[in-house]
Amino acid sequence: MRHQPLQGGGEAPLTNQWHFGMKAHIGVDVASGVVHTLTGTAANEADINQMAAVLHGREEAVFADAGYTGADKRPEHADRDVSWDIAIKRSIIKALPKDLRDVVEPVERALSQVRAWVEHPFHIVKNLFRHKKLRYRGLTKNTAQLQTLFALANLVIVKKTLLA
């Protein structure tokens, strides 16, 4: 028997247990590594829908993974004067001829090293604070907890600067 997920809840039944999935979309300052914006959504929502929510408006460059492909073409970003550095989907890179792929892959690697700064706060929250499973039912409570955890992660990131 197939179960349908509840509308808008992001929950899905699985053998009488309810599993709640969510994503945390964060905006990170490249220079300091500090999280400036956080949005929590259901796990089945597309990443690209949250791009406008994680941008604060004073960006000069936006680095994002392939889940945000096409964000620069959306109407809500038409007036933004930023450099859009969004990862090329792996299937597109694999379809390129070998000589062109040899040029594109080092550029993508350099851009992914910049995007890795966004992953560092996730490392702190998941590994240092051991937050790997959701504790509560509902996006509001889980997002509130994530905001607290990422605020503490910001303190860990700037600890040496504050103590100097």
Side-chain angles (χ1 to χ4, degrees), residues 139-156:
L139 284 174
T140 307
K141 289 180 184 178
N142 284 308
T143 303
Q145 184 182 29
L146 285 174
Q147 286 177 340
T148 304
L149 289 170
F150 278 103
L152 291 170
N154 282 345
L155 290 175
V156 171

Side-chain angles (χ1 to χ4, degrees), residues 72-133:
D72 54 335
K73 296 171 184 66
R74 295 193 126 200
E76 62 262 26
H77 304 300
D79 60 338
R80 293 187 193 270
D81 185 29
V82 297
S83 170
W84 294 93
D85 297 308
I86 298 175
I88 300 172
K89 291 185 179 179
R90 193 77 195 138
S91 60
I92 294 174
I93 292 176
K94 282 187 161 188
L96 292 174
K98 175 87 170 100
D99 55 339
L100 189 56
R101 192 177 334 139
D102 291 341
V103 173
V104 171
E105 284 181 341
V107 172
E108 281 297 307
R109 183 173 174 84
L111 292 175
S112 69
Q113 289 173 342
V114 175
R115 286 190 298 269
W117 279 100
V118 177
E119 300 301 323
H120 185 62
F122 282 110
H123 168 75
I124 293 170
V125 168
K126 286 182 169 187
N127 296 329
L128 189 64
F129 300 153
R130 306 255 187 240
H131 181 77
K132 296 184 181 190
K133 292 183 182 179

